[in-house]
Amino acid sequence: MSFVKSLLAGLAGLVLFAATPVLACETYKALSATELKEFRDKLAEQDADPIDRLFAYQELACSDQPVMRAYAIRAGMENARDPILRQQIAFDALMALPRVDIELSGENLGKNAKRYVGNEGNVVSNTVRYRDPVKGCLSFNSSDSCSEGSAMTLKGDTLLVSVSNLVGTLALSETGEFLGTVRYRGDPITARVRIY
């Protein structure tokens, strides 16, 4: 009986994960070539009103064409200077990741950090098992909540990390990646999370 319950719980989690909208789109929609060009140009226009650029980004990000969705994130992050637009793009990109990699620097490490990087390597990868767009969190152990000790939470342009015995805060950079420091048993390690 417990096997059947486990199987049903696993299938329910898989269905929930598959049904979770990628980015902030309820549905993807077909856009004409003219619309795609119009939204692309507005997104790249440096002097455009930030709200117009946000709208253009959202339209491209919800296109039924995967290449245009990827383009919206990359071009939006590269061109946007408005903090609200940058944070929205970072949020959408992070929520869409099936796996999050924390890249760790191997330089200037304390004894504990050196041992951790030596054992785990310079990239700590975690498969996303649950995402909560309302709370802005990704969970790597639990399939139904953001569990303490194995999650990342995005608050504005700050990514709070509590994963694999690493705890820290990363900030959204001009290059569109999260940079900062995580700690392992008190030792700081320079870290990076790329969102595309």
Side-chain angles (χ1 to χ4, degrees), residues 56-81:
Y57 158 73
Q58 289 174 331
E59 289 295 317
L60 291 174
C62 293
S63 164
D64 63 353
Q65 298 180 35
V67 171
M68 292 312 298
R69 295 195 300 268
Y71 170 82
I73 290 171
R74 186 175 302 277
M77 192 58 76
E78 288 173 359
N79 295 316
R81 295 294 163 253

Short mmCIF file of all heavy atoms in Angstrom, two decimals, residues 56-81:
data_model
loop_
_atom_site.label_atom_id
_atom_site.label_comp_id
_atom_site.label_asym_id
_atom_site.label_seq_id
_atom_site.Cartn_x
_atom_site.Cartn_y
_atom_site.Cartn_z
N ALA A 56 6.60 44.71 -23.76
CA ALA A 56 7.23 44.04 -24.90
C ALA A 56 7.93 42.77 -24.45
O ALA A 56 7.82 41.71 -25.10
CB ALA A 56 8.21 44.98 -25.59
N TYR A 57 8.64 42.85 -23.33
CA TYR A 57 9.31 41.65 -22.79
C TYR A 57 8.28 40.55 -22.49
O TYR A 57 8.46 39.40 -22.88
CB TYR A 57 10.09 42.00 -21.52
CG TYR A 57 10.33 40.79 -20.67
CD1 TYR A 57 11.27 39.83 -21.05
CD2 TYR A 57 9.58 40.56 -19.53
CE1 TYR A 57 11.45 38.68 -20.31
CE2 TYR A 57 9.75 39.42 -18.78
CZ TYR A 57 10.69 38.48 -19.18
OH TYR A 57 10.85 37.34 -18.45
N GLN A 58 7.20 40.92 -21.81
CA GLN A 58 6.20 39.92 -21.43
C GLN A 58 5.57 39.27 -22.66
O GLN A 58 5.30 38.06 -22.66
CB GLN A 58 5.13 40.55 -20.54
CG GLN A 58 5.66 40.88 -19.16
CD GLN A 58 4.66 41.63 -18.31
OE1 GLN A 58 3.81 42.36 -18.81
NE2 GLN A 58 4.77 41.46 -17.00
N GLU A 59 5.33 40.04 -23.69
CA GLU A 59 4.76 39.48 -24.91
C GLU A 59 5.72 38.47 -25.55
O GLU A 59 5.32 37.37 -25.94
CB GLU A 59 4.42 40.59 -25.90
CG GLU A 59 3.24 41.45 -25.50
CD GLU A 59 1.93 40.67 -25.46
OE1 GLU A 59 1.68 39.87 -26.37
OE2 GLU A 59 1.17 40.86 -24.49
N LEU A 60 7.00 38.84 -25.64
CA LEU A 60 7.99 37.92 -26.23
C LEU A 60 8.21 36.70 -25.34
O LEU A 60 8.38 35.58 -25.83
CB LEU A 60 9.31 38.64 -26.48
CG LEU A 60 9.31 39.70 -27.58
CD1 LEU A 60 10.65 40.43 -27.61
CD2 LEU A 60 9.02 39.07 -28.94
N ALA A 61 8.21 36.92 -24.03
CA ALA A 61 8.44 35.83 -23.08
C ALA A 61 7.31 34.81 -23.08
O ALA A 61 7.49 33.68 -22.65
CB ALA A 61 8.65 36.39 -21.68
N CYS A 62 6.14 35.21 -23.57
CA CYS A 62 5.00 34.30 -23.62
C CYS A 62 4.68 33.85 -25.05
O CYS A 62 3.59 33.35 -25.33
CB CYS A 62 3.77 34.95 -22.98
SG CYS A 62 3.98 35.19 -21.20
N SER A 63 5.64 34.04 -25.95
CA SER A 63 5.48 33.58 -27.33
C SER A 63 5.44 32.05 -27.35
O SER A 63 6.06 31.39 -26.51
CB SER A 63 6.65 34.08 -28.18
OG SER A 63 6.72 33.37 -29.40
N ASP A 64 4.75 31.49 -28.33
CA ASP A 64 4.72 30.04 -28.45
C ASP A 64 6.01 29.50 -29.09
O ASP A 64 6.16 28.30 -29.26
CB ASP A 64 3.49 29.57 -29.23
CG ASP A 64 3.46 30.07 -30.67
OD1 ASP A 64 4.33 30.89 -31.05
OD2 ASP A 64 2.56 29.65 -31.42
N GLN A 65 6.95 30.38 -29.39
CA GLN A 65 8.23 29.98 -29.98
C GLN A 65 9.33 29.99 -28.91
O GLN A 65 9.66 31.06 -28.38
CB GLN A 65 8.61 30.93 -31.12
CG GLN A 65 7.62 30.93 -32.26
CD GLN A 65 8.02 31.87 -33.36
OE1 GLN A 65 9.19 32.05 -33.66
NE2 GLN A 65 7.03 32.50 -33.98
N PRO A 66 9.90 28.84 -28.58
CA PRO A 66 10.92 28.77 -27.52
C PRO A 66 12.12 29.68 -27.78
O PRO A 66 12.67 30.25 -26.84
CB PRO A 66 11.35 27.30 -27.53
CG PRO A 66 10.27 26.57 -28.23
CD PRO A 66 9.60 27.53 -29.15
N VAL A 67 12.49 29.85 -29.03
CA VAL A 67 13.64 30.71 -29.34
C VAL A 67 13.33 32.15 -28.96
O VAL A 67 14.18 32.87 -28.43
CB VAL A 67 14.01 30.61 -30.84
CG1 VAL A 67 15.04 31.65 -31.22
CG2 VAL A 67 14.53 29.21 -31.15
N MET A 68 12.11 32.60 -29.19
CA MET A 68 11.73 33.97 -28.84
C MET A 68 11.67 34.15 -27.33
O MET A 68 12.02 35.21 -26.80
CB MET A 68 10.39 34.35 -29.48
CG MET A 68 10.43 34.47 -30.99
SD MET A 68 11.82 35.46 -31.63
CE MET A 68 11.49 37.06 -30.92
N ARG A 69 11.24 33.11 -26.61
CA ARG A 69 11.21 33.20 -25.15
C ARG A 69 12.63 33.35 -24.61
O ARG A 69 12.89 34.18 -23.73
CB ARG A 69 10.52 31.97 -24.56
CG ARG A 69 9.05 31.88 -24.92
CD ARG A 69 8.30 30.89 -24.06
NE ARG A 69 8.78 29.53 -24.12
CZ ARG A 69 8.32 28.59 -24.95
NH1 ARG A 69 7.37 28.90 -25.83
NH2 ARG A 69 8.78 27.37 -24.91
N ALA A 70 13.55 32.55 -25.13
CA ALA A 70 14.95 32.65 -24.70
C ALA A 70 15.54 34.01 -25.08
O ALA A 70 16.27 34.62 -24.30
CB ALA A 70 15.78 31.52 -25.33
N TYR A 71 15.19 34.48 -26.27
CA TYR A 71 15.66 35.79 -26.72
C TYR A 71 15.16 36.89 -25.78
O TYR A 71 15.89 37.82 -25.43
CB TYR A 71 15.18 36.08 -28.15
CG TYR A 71 15.43 37.50 -28.57
CD1 TYR A 71 16.69 37.89 -29.04
CD2 TYR A 71 14.44 38.47 -28.47
CE1 TYR A 71 16.94 39.20 -29.40
CE2 TYR A 71 14.68 39.77 -28.84
CZ TYR A 71 15.92 40.14 -29.30
OH TYR A 71 16.17 41.45 -29.64
N ALA A 72 13.89 36.82 -25.37
CA ALA A 72 13.31 37.84 -24.49
C ALA A 72 14.11 37.96 -23.20
O ALA A 72 14.40 39.07 -22.74
CB ALA A 72 11.85 37.50 -24.18
N ILE A 73 14.50 36.84 -22.63
CA ILE A 73 15.27 36.87 -21.39
C ILE A 73 16.66 37.46 -21.64
O ILE A 73 17.09 38.39 -20.95
CB ILE A 73 15.37 35.46 -20.78
CG1 ILE A 73 13.99 35.04 -20.26
CG2 ILE A 73 16.41 35.41 -19.67
CD1 ILE A 73 13.90 33.60 -19.83
N ARG A 74 17.36 36.93 -22.63
CA ARG A 74 18.73 37.39 -22.89
C ARG A 74 18.77 38.86 -23.31
O ARG A 74 19.50 39.66 -22.74
CB ARG A 74 19.39 36.51 -23.95
CG ARG A 74 20.85 36.80 -24.17
CD ARG A 74 21.47 35.82 -25.15
NE ARG A 74 21.34 34.44 -24.73
CZ ARG A 74 22.17 33.83 -23.88
NH1 ARG A 74 23.17 34.47 -23.37
NH2 ARG A 74 21.97 32.56 -23.56
N ALA A 75 17.97 39.23 -24.31
CA ALA A 75 17.98 40.61 -24.81
C ALA A 75 17.43 41.56 -23.76
O ALA A 75 17.94 42.68 -23.59
CB ALA A 75 17.18 40.72 -26.10
N GLY A 76 16.40 41.13 -23.06
CA GLY A 76 15.84 41.99 -22.02
C GLY A 76 16.85 42.29 -20.94
O GLY A 76 17.00 43.43 -20.51
N MET A 77 17.58 41.27 -20.50
CA MET A 77 18.57 41.46 -19.45
C MET A 77 19.74 42.31 -19.94
O MET A 77 20.26 43.15 -19.21
CB MET A 77 19.05 40.11 -18.93
CG MET A 77 19.85 40.21 -17.65
SD MET A 77 18.97 41.00 -16.27
CE MET A 77 17.87 39.70 -15.78
N GLU A 78 20.14 42.11 -21.19
CA GLU A 78 21.28 42.86 -21.72
C GLU A 78 20.94 44.33 -21.94
O GLU A 78 21.81 45.19 -21.80
CB GLU A 78 21.74 42.24 -23.04
CG GLU A 78 22.46 40.92 -22.86
CD GLU A 78 22.77 40.21 -24.17
OE1 GLU A 78 22.40 40.74 -25.24
OE2 GLU A 78 23.37 39.13 -24.12
N ASN A 79 19.70 44.64 -22.30
CA ASN A 79 19.33 46.00 -22.66
C ASN A 79 18.64 46.79 -21.55
O ASN A 79 18.67 48.01 -21.56
CB ASN A 79 18.40 46.00 -23.89
CG ASN A 79 19.12 45.48 -25.12
OD1 ASN A 79 20.24 45.85 -25.39
ND2 ASN A 79 18.47 44.61 -25.86
N ALA A 80 18.01 46.11 -20.63
CA ALA A 80 17.21 46.81 -19.62
C ALA A 80 18.08 47.46 -18.55
O ALA A 80 19.02 46.85 -18.06
CB ALA A 80 16.24 45.83 -18.97
N ARG A 81 17.75 48.68 -18.22
CA ARG A 81 18.41 49.39 -17.12
C ARG A 81 17.44 49.64 -15.98
O ARG A 81 17.84 49.91 -14.87
CB ARG A 81 19.00 50.73 -17.60
CG ARG A 81 20.11 50.57 -18.62
CD ARG A 81 21.34 49.90 -18.00
NE ARG A 81 22.25 49.38 -19.01
CZ ARG A 81 22.41 48.09 -19.29
NH1 ARG A 81 21.72 47.19 -18.65
NH2 ARG A 81 23.26 47.70 -20.19
#
